[in-house]
């Protein structure tokens, strides 16, 4: 089981700030699964963190991992 | 030192002490923006006795600012934020030298504005400025305290500070490519609860004080997020990007040639009517350009302008120091083409095109004249 935390407008897109997913082996397949649920994600800027560390390439996900999706904010 | 009584309650903190206070009094901090985040940053850094505080802001106070920009009063509406903020801050603490930079941060002025300061605090409200500030701070090797808010959430981080174990990371290691215009809503579009920037701005002030005094563990290479509705905090660790970012300028010259608005998908100019055009004629730092051919009629003698026929507009690129450019032609078509080119070449300037061209301006002027003689 993978825990997914969504920040900013991503939580609005998903209708929840917290999702639980099964059967995603890595961050790339997680992104595909999330895009299937939220097509707008494909054109949205965000970064992925696995267990609080921002990752730059496809990263394997072990059970119990927490993945967080962080979008940029411009407001000041 | 008599003024030290003011700081007694923080000097007795052994971690800070008189030595830390002295560091604060000697520090120079530049705050980009005097809005929702800028107000608490400025207030707490002034109260803490940061010796020199620069404020960069070209905006004026609006009624819709007051729910979160708590330095301002109703009497400040319509007045420049940087100057009004400076008035309040000087009244709070005359140990602090407050420097007003009442201008918009651009690639033209950024280098000289930022260079004299020790630390930059980004409290701006748009992506072009955020990337511009980041890239300038990377090149000038200035610690950057980043903060941003949207609706009920905020982000804080410290960039450009290397540690024993890691290279310095910057905003582009977090978000390498700017989102495109319209993708991420700003506060005006998405809304923001007034107290949220007070929390995030105060955290930015905390980071600046910790960096200056050398106490605790600032948010170096970490982004901290806060969700006000859930009262939850979450930290992200940021690592240096594995490859150089092709969008990131590597020299001062490359920085000054970077089109930040264009990078952010903004390449706009504004079409204005005759009344707005006449207002701009009165505004300082505005260049008015006639893009008609040199011999086209009617001639314009009523106001100062430069004649630059449409085909030669590219000759202007890199040669305009004015902050705003207003273009007109005969009927308003060619000036749109020129404005588009100018907006691309000067992404941080304000570019305007006169709708209906000089013909509608002359017509309006004649009508006015006629009305005057009738009366």
């Amino acid at each position: 089981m993978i825990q997914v935390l969504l920040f900013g407008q991503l939580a609005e897109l998903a209708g929840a700030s917290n999702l639980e997913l099964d059967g995603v082996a890595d961050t790339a397949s997680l992104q595909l699964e999330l895009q299937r649920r939220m097509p707008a994600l494909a054109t949205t800027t965000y970064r992925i963190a696995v267990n609080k560390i921002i990752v730059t390439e496809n990263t394997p996900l072990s059970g119990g991992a927490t993945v967080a999706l962080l979008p940029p904010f411009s407001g000041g | 030192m008599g003024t030290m009584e003011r700081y007694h309650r923080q000097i007795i903190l052994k971690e800070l002490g008189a030595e830390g206070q002295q560091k604060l009094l000697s520090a120079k901090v530049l705050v980009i923006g005097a809005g929702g985040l800028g107000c608490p940053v400025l207030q707490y850094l002034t109260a803490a006795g940061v010796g020199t505080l620069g404020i960069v802001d070209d905006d004026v106070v609006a009624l819709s600012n007051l729910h979160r920009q708590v330095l301002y009063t109703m009497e400040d509406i319509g007045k420049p934020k940087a100057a009004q903020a400076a008035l309040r801050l000087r009244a709070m603490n005359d140990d602090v030298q407050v420097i007003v930079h009442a201008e918009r941060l651009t690639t033209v002025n950024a280098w000289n504005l930022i260079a004299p300061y020790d630390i930059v605090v980004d409290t701006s409200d748009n992506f072009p400025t955020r990337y511009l500030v980041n890239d300038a701070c990377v090149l000038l090797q200035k610690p950057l305290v980043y903060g941003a808010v949207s609706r009920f959430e905020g982000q804080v981080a410290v960039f450009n500070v290397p540690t024993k174990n890691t290279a310095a990371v910057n905003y582009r290691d977090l978000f390498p490519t700017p989102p495109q215009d319209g993708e991420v809503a700003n506060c005006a579009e998405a809304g923001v609860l007034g107290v949220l920037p007070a929390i995030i701005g105060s955290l930015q002030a905390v980071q600046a004080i910790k960096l200056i005094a050398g106490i605790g563990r600032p948010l170096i290479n970490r982004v901290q997020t806060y969700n006000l509705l859930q009262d939850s905090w979450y930290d992200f660790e940021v690592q240096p990007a594995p490859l150089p970012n092709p969008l990131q300028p590597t020299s001062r010259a490359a920085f000054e040639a970077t089109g930040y608005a264009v990078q952010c998908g903004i390449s706009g100019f504004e079409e204005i009517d005759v009344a707005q055009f006449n207002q701009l004629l009165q505004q300082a730092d505005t260049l008015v350009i006639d893009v008609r051919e040199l011999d086209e009629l009617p001639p314009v003698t009523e106001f100062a302008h430069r004649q630059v026929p449409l085909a030669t507009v590219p000759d202007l690129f890199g040669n305009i120091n004015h902050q705003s450019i207003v273009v007109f032609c005969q009927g308003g078509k060619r000036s749109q083409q020129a404005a588009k080119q100018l907006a691309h070449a000067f992404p941080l300037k304000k570019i305007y095109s006169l709708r209906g061209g000089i013909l509608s301006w002359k017509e309006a002027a004649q009508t006015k004249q006629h009305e005057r003689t009738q009366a």
Side-chain angles (χ1 to χ4, degrees), chain B residues 223-283:
Chain B
V223 182
Q224 185 159 72
T225 64
Y226 171 63
N227 183 317
L228 178 151
L229 287 182
Q230 297 178 16
D231 269 314
S232 60
W233 302 85
Y234 199 83
D235 280 16
F236 293 79
E237 188 182 318
V238 190
Q239 293 170 325
L243 295 170
N245 186 325
L247 293 175
Q248 190 152 14
T250 52
S251 67
R252 179 177 180 173
F255 165 74
E256 288 177 349
T258 299
Y260 283 91
V262 172
Q263 259 191 32
C264 298
I266 304 162
S267 174
F269 63 89
E270 204 179 319
E271 265 204 294
I272 50 169
D273 61 21
V274 169
Q276 291 166 307
F277 182 83
N278 287 334
Q279 277 174 9
L280 284 167
L281 289 180
Q282 309 301 320
Q283 185 185 292

Side-chain angles (χ1 to χ4, degrees), chain A residues 5 7-9 11-12 17 43-47 49 51-54 56 66 68-76, chain B residues 36-37 124-127 130 148-151 153 155 173-176 179 183-184 187 225 230 234-237 239:
Chain A
L5 305 178
F7 289 81
Q9 71 270 30
E12 282 170 66
S17 57
T43 54
T44 302
T45 303
Y46 64 92
R47 290 306 299 276
N51 296 328
K52 299 197 166 186
I53 299 173
I54 304 251
T56 47
T66 301
L69 273 56
L70 184 72
F73 295 162
S74 68
Chain B
L37 294 170
S124 65
D125 62 357
N126 63 87
F127 286 114
R130 290 189 179 282
V149 290
S150 180
R151 293 173 46 80
E153 285 178 63
Q155 305 172 347
D173 292 309
L174 179 61
F175 295 112
E183 184 193 318
V184 179
C187 288
T225 64
Q230 297 178 16
Y234 199 83
D235 280 16
F236 293 79
E237 188 182 318
Q239 293 170 325

